[in-house]
Structure formats: structure tokens, C-alpha cells
Amino acid sequence: MADRIAHHVRDLPRSGIRDFFEIVQSMKEVISLGIGEPDFMTPWHIREAAIYSLEKGHTGYTSNLGLPRLRAVISKYVEEHFSVSYQPEREIIVTVGVSEAIDIAIRALVNPGDEVLYHEPCYVSYSPSVVLAHGVPVAIPTKSEDDFALDAEALATRITPRSKVLLLNFPTNPTGATMDRARMEKIAALCVKHDLIVITDEIYSEIRYDGSEHVSIAAMPGMRERTLLLHGVSKAFAMTGFRIGFGCGPQDLVEAMMKVHQYAMLCAPITSQEAAVEALLHGAPAVENMRREYELRRNYIVSSLNDMGLETFLPRGSFYVFPRIESTGMSSRDFAMGLLKAENVAAVPGPAFGAPGEGYLRCSYATALPKIKEAMSRMTRYVERARKGQFAEAV
Ligand code: PLP
């Protein structure tokens, strides 16, 4: 049958995370630092809004763009949080998670052979989404020495006449990197100079630490007209299962996304859209409580990893840390498999997020603090043994 499968699909690698979690799921009593999903339950008032929506019998399709009420609420929220305004009637589309927004934005923009630039290590779906649209993914490696930020000079060297889109994600999954204003301004200037369209995935924008500012490229001079700003409720509001994301941008681009969306998805589920209205209107206190808890966990996990001698960059956003494990002399995969087998702790090997992730591990701290503490003590024991070469043959 393999010869019947479209070649670009057949040749697509499976997600490294998925392979790893199939092994994790077959094991008992594993402490998982692997999952990129909040451990908090969706706040009750949001769940209640979903229940009430069902009680009212709201069980039909909505407009392809999403409920007008939700788009109005998104417009207000985006203006407050990202300092850029969009008209609810024609510049906002509600999608099935940011996942769908990424897919339809790329499909709406990319002609076969167009190059899409993105910084790596990055979220697992970017490169495959480009390949599925017959585009050419062009990765720009980021380094821990630069706090995993995107360097304008590194970007400039990868731009060619075929470059069409730049895909950004700050705060970043898997590194927790953020971009300060000065760095982002340089990137914006390059986008204007080379006429690039930007897709900016800002799904972790509420989860920031140390009072750091969130800088959206969409709000920079000359950028609104060439940017699709993607956001959603999955992470900050602990609503992954509701599957609500949205895209904001100039009317032409949103209209193009809508064409793909109406044939592929029709609309996002109405129950979830009504819950998202409640989240965006009244969810801020719950978001802040969760953010504070993530900050405590971040502080604990980063200092534990550094104490083990695993050099770890202090993330300013998201709920991931990306410790460097090279000093143990093991590859990322051997380290992660060994940790799982020897200590029942799961963390994702860095290369699952692209080649520059070799030598790193992604640990998510969307896990309760007592579990993180136990995982860190097991990992300390593991690293000590690894340094003595005790796992050289075991993995
Ligand atoms: N973008 C990034 C950077 C992510 O890390 C994730 C999920 O892990 C997504 C998008 C997908 O989000 P959603 O649940 O809204 O589809």
C-alpha cells in the first residue's frame, strides 16, 4: 500500500514525541515531565459556561469565521494584550486550536516551492505543515548562548528570492525563549525589507516570568499589514481539550484562511466557542494563579538542573525548560531512554524539536511541584551514575 500514499505524506517522519510517548504509556508509575499540557483543570466558571451552552441547546454550526460574540471578545482581548486592533467582522477567524490556525495559514500562503523560515528548536508541527503545503521548510538554528532568541543576522543569511513566510513562536516551545523589543525590531525590519509575511504563534504569551514584557511583532511599525497573529486558549486557560484558537490579520489573509477552513473544518465547535467567550472575558485571575504556580516550579526545576551540573537556560516564558545534557557524554535519546528505564522519569529528547536540539532535553513543568521534586531527585541520582559511565551499555 505504501506506493499509494502521497509521497510527501509517506516521507513525513512521525513526531518524535509520539514515538517516545508510546514507550512511556506502556510503563507504570512514570513521572512525566514530557507533556506540553497544563496539569490544571479548566477553571470552573469556564466549564460552567460550556455546560450552560449545552443546556440552552446551542448545538449547531456557527458562522465559518466563528461566533460574532467570540470575535468581538477576541478583538478586545488582542487589543489589550498585544496592542494591535483587528475588526471582528473581517479580520479574525476562530479555528480548531492554534494547530488548525498554523495549518490553514500556511496552506493559504504557500505556493509549491515557496520557502518558509522558522527558528529551531521549535514546535513539532511547523516543518511538517510546510511540507504538507508543498512548501520548503528552512530552519534557522537558535543557540543557548543567545538565549535561544532569533538572531537577525542568522535570519538574513537564510533569506532567498523564494523566501515568503517567517514563522515565529515566542515564548518558544521547547526552550522557553522570549524576544526583547530591540531584537524583535531587527527581525521586523528584515521582514519589511524582504517583503516577508509573518505567522506569529503567540500561544504562550500570558505565561511569562520576572515581569518580562510580551512583544508581539504584529504591533511593530509596518508589520500589521504583513502579519498573521495566532493565539488560543489551550495553554494559559488550561483548555487544551476545548480546541479553540484564532487568527488575526489583514482581511485578505484572513479571507484566504477562511476559504481553507470552511472546506476543511467548517467551524470550531460551538460549545467550546461559548466557553472561550467566558475565558477571555473573565479568566484573567485564574490565568494569573496558574502563571504564579508555573513560576515557582520554573525556579525550582532550573536551580535543580543547574545543581546537577546540567547547564540550563532560565526561560522567561512557556512551561518548558531545555537543559543541556551533553556534559554526561550521552546523546539526548540515550539520556532520555536511560532516565526512563532507570528512574521512571520521562522527558523528551531535544532532537524531537529539530536537529539543534541534540545535546538537550525538554522538561515540561506543567506537573505538580511534589512530582517535580521527586523527578529532580531521581534525575540527580541518574546524572551521577551517568557521569560514572554506568549506563554506557544499558541504553
Ligand atoms: N503552538 C505551539 C508552540 C504549541 O506548543 C502547541 C501545543 O503544544 C500548539 C501550537 C497547539 O496548540 P492548540 O492546542 O491550540 O492546537
Side-chain angles (χ1 to χ4, degrees):
M1 230 8 165
D3 58 332
R4 304 288 183 89
I5 310 281
H7 296 177
H8 66 301
V9 175
R10 184 196 59 198
D11 299 341
L12 211 56
R14 276 160 52 109
S15 159
I17 299 190
R18 196 177 134 188
D19 283 349
F20 191 69
F21 277 98
E22 276 173 14
I23 302 171
V24 173
Q25 269 160 12
S26 67
M27 296 177 65
K28 283 197 190 111
E29 290 174 27
V30 171
I31 300 182
S32 181
L33 304 178
I35 291 175
E37 175 166 35
D39 56 316
F40 299 104
M41 199 176 283
T42 308
W44 169 242
H45 66 103
I46 301 174
R47 283 181 279 149
E48 207 171 27
I51 294 165
Y52 189 41
S53 163
L54 286 168
E55 279 178 355
K56 284 184 288 188
H58 293 178
T59 55
Y61 294 132
T62 70
S63 139
N64 294 134
L65 286 177
L67 287 171
R69 171 91 179 120
L70 176 55
R71 282 182 276 136
V73 168
I74 290 170
S75 172
K76 189 164 162 278
Y77 187 87
V78 168
E79 184 149 13
E80 278 168 12
H81 283 77
F82 302 94
S83 308
V84 52
S85 66
Y86 296 97
Q87 292 174 35
E89 301 77 23
R90 55 192 72 86
E91 294 184 321
I92 296 174
I93 180 168
V94 178
T95 56
V96 179
V98 174
S99 303
E100 191 217 347
I102 295 164
D103 177 43
I104 64 173
I106 292 172
R107 283 205 273 164
L109 289 167
V110 171
N111 285 312
D114 284 347
E115 292 174 0
V116 177
L117 302 138
Y118 59 100
H119 49 102
E120 208 177 42
C122 67
Y123 181 48
V124 291
S125 86
Y126 296 159
S127 170
S129 299
V130 174
V131 170
L132 288 172
H134 303 280
V136 180
V138 179
I140 305 152
T142 59
K143 305 186 215 105
S144 52
E145 300 85 89
D146 296 332
D147 299 345
F148 293 106
L150 176 59
D151 176 54
E153 278 169 31
L155 169 61
T157 61
R158 302 292 198 292
I159 296 175
T160 75
R162 301 278 351 219
S163 305
K164 184 165 192 186
V165 175
L166 171 65
L167 191 39
L168 297 176
N169 169 229
F170 294 102
T172 308
N173 174 7
T175 59
T178 52
M179 286 279 273
D180 61 31
R181 188 164 289 279
R183 273 176 158 156
M184 196 64 105
E185 275 167 359
K186 287 191 188 157
I187 302 295
L190 272 179
C191 294
V192 173
K193 182 172 168 202
H194 295 278
D195 196 19
L196 298 179
I197 296 178
V198 175
I199 301 175
T200 176
D201 172 354
E202 300 186 15
I203 191 164
Y204 294 101
S205 58
E206 292 91 345
I207 308 174
R208 297 186 321 277
Y209 311 116
D210 311 321
S212 65
E213 176 195 28
H214 177 68
V215 183
S216 177
I217 196 166
M220 295 195 156
M223 293 310 296
R224 187 192 181 283
E225 60 262 39
R226 59 176 66 254
T227 301
L228 277 169
L229 167 61
L230 311 185
H231 191 38
V233 296
S234 287
K235 309 290 177 171
F237 297 89
M239 291 175 68
T240 45
F242 283 81
R243 311 305 306 127
I244 294 292
F246 49 87
C248 306
Q251 181 177 356
D252 291 354
L253 298 189
V254 169
E255 170 68 18
M257 283 173 79
M258 202 277 285
K259 277 196 201 162
V260 186
H261 171 78
Q262 70 184 2
Y263 296 124
M265 209 62 69
L266 214 158
C267 66
I270 187 166
T271 320
S272 300
Q273 290 194 51
E274 295 200 334
V277 169
E278 173 65 20
L280 296 175
L281 281 180
H282 305 298
V287 169
E288 176 55 15
N289 286 341
M290 291 187 268
R291 193 204 63 76
R292 278 207 207 116
E293 178 64 28
Y294 290 135
E295 188 156 5
L296 288 176
R297 298 173 184 179
R298 177 204 66 156
N299 294 345
Y300 183 86
I301 201 167
V302 170
S303 74
S304 305
L305 290 165
N306 280 315
D307 287 350
M308 283 174 221
L310 302 180
E311 181 194 318
T312 304
F313 155 77
L314 182 73
R316 288 292 177 85
S318 80
F319 39 59
Y320 309 105
V321 275
F322 210 55
R324 197 171 199 155
I325 54 87
E326 260 170 355
S327 61
T328 61
M330 295 167 94
S331 71
S332 295
R333 191 177 159 78
D334 286 353
F335 185 95
M337 290 305 295
L339 180 64
L340 186 60
K341 284 189 193 152
E343 295 288 356
N344 274 5
V345 173
V348 185
F353 308 94
E358 183 50 59
Y360 295 87
L361 197 68
R362 188 192 77 173
C363 303
S364 158
Y365 45 95
T367 301
L369 196 53
K371 281 194 187 164
I372 292 178
K373 287 186 174 170
E374 174 59 24
M376 290 299 102
S377 94
R378 293 186 195 181
M379 206 162 152
T380 303
R381 192 163 55 205
Y382 175 72
V383 168
E384 277 165 11
R385 291 177 62 195
R387 288 227 162 88
K388 288 181 195 149
Q390 289 188 11
F391 299 108
E393 276 140 43
V395 288

